[in-house]
Amino acid sequence: MISHNQEIYAEESFLITSTLSEILVGLSRPQKTLPAKLLYDDHGSQIFEEICQTQDYYITRAETEIFREHAPEMAKFIGQGAIIIEPGSGVSEKIRYLLPELNKIRAYVPIEISPEPLLKSCDVLTRQFPGLEIVPILGDFEKEIIIPGEVSRSSSKKLIFFPGSTIGNFSPSQAALLLRQWARLAGKDAMLLIGVDRKKGREKLIKAYDDQNGITADFNLNILRRINREANANFDLTKFSHQARYNDHKGRVEMHLVSREDQMVKVHDSLFRFQAGESIHTESSYKYTPREFKTLAEKAQFNYVKHWCDREGLFCVYFFNRAGTHHVQKQA
Ligand code: AVI
C-alpha cells in the first residue's frame, strides 16, 4: 500500500543547472574533481547494479550474506512497530531480507533521487508485502529530508537503514554530519542499521573498483557522457581512462578519469586544459575498521550495540541506537 493516493513526495527538481557551478569549480581546482552524485543518472544507476553482480565487487555479496544469516537477530534489536527510513533506497533490495523478519512495521519510507527505481521498488514491495505502508520520497537524501507529517509526528521508533557502504562515499566529517542529521530526524529512540566496508589489502580493493570486465570503467566514464549531454560539454570519452587508486593516508579508494593526452575540453561556456596523465577525481569510497566506524557514529550520538561480519571478514553491518541504556548486552 502506497500512502497518499500513490503520490510521491517531490522535494525539488534535479536539473543539472543546480550543480553546474559545482562542476565548473571542481574542474578549476589543481586536482580536478567532479561531484560523485553525477555518476548516478538512470544509465549510471543501471551500470552500478551490474557492478554489484561482478565477482570483483565483493561488497554486495558480503553484505547480502550478512543479511541472509543475521536478519532474524537484527529484527529482534529493531523490535515491533518501527518506521524504517532508507536514504538512497535504490530498488530497495536489502530491506527485503529484513521485512519478513520484522513484526508489524509502522511504515517503510524509501528516499531516492531517481524516480524509476523508486517506483519499481514501491511496485515490487507492494506486491511482496501487501499491507505494508510505503511512504516514498523522491529527493536527495544529502539535503534536509522532509518526512510527511503523520509519519514524522508518529511516536513509533524510527530506524535509519543505510546499507551498501554508501556512507563510505562521504568523507568522515561529512559522514558524521549526515548521521547527526539523521539522529535528529529519527528522534530520541533513533536506531541505525548501516553497512560499512572494512579496511583490507590494497589489491582486493583495487580489483573491486576496477573489475576485469570494465564495468566500473564504463560507470566512471558515464559521468562525462552525462556532462556532455546535460552541461553542453565536449568530453571525448576515448581520450580518458578509468583508474582506481587506494589512498592509504586517507583510507579510501579513489576513482579517477585520467587524460590520455594533452587536450582542451569545453564545459558550458568555459574551457579546461588537461595535460596527458592529469586526472579528474570522481568518487571516494572510505573504508573503516570497526573501531574507526564506532568512533565516527558515536560522534553523532549513536551508541554502538552490535555488528555482524561476513565469513571472510570483508564487510560489516552495524546496529546503533540512541537509547540511554542498552536493552541488549554490548559486544566487545
Ligand atoms: C554506491 N557506493 C557504495 C559504491 C562504492 O563502493 O563506493 C559506488 C561504486 N563506485 C565504484 N564502484 C562502486
Side-chain angles (χ1 to χ4, degrees), residues 244-257:
R245 301 177 186 168
Y246 185 62
N247 183 330
D248 209 358
H249 173 63
K250 303 224 168 183
R252 69 187 192 197
V253 177
E254 297 173 355
M255 289 208 308
H256 289 258
L257 289 166

Side-chain angles (χ1 to χ4, degrees), residues 172-192:
S173 57
Q174 288 171 326
L177 214 64
L178 206 56
L179 295 185
R180 212 169 296 143
Q181 207 170 295
W182 293 345
R184 260 202 310 276
L185 173 82
K188 64 176 172 41
D189 290 326
M191 299 176 283
L192 172 68

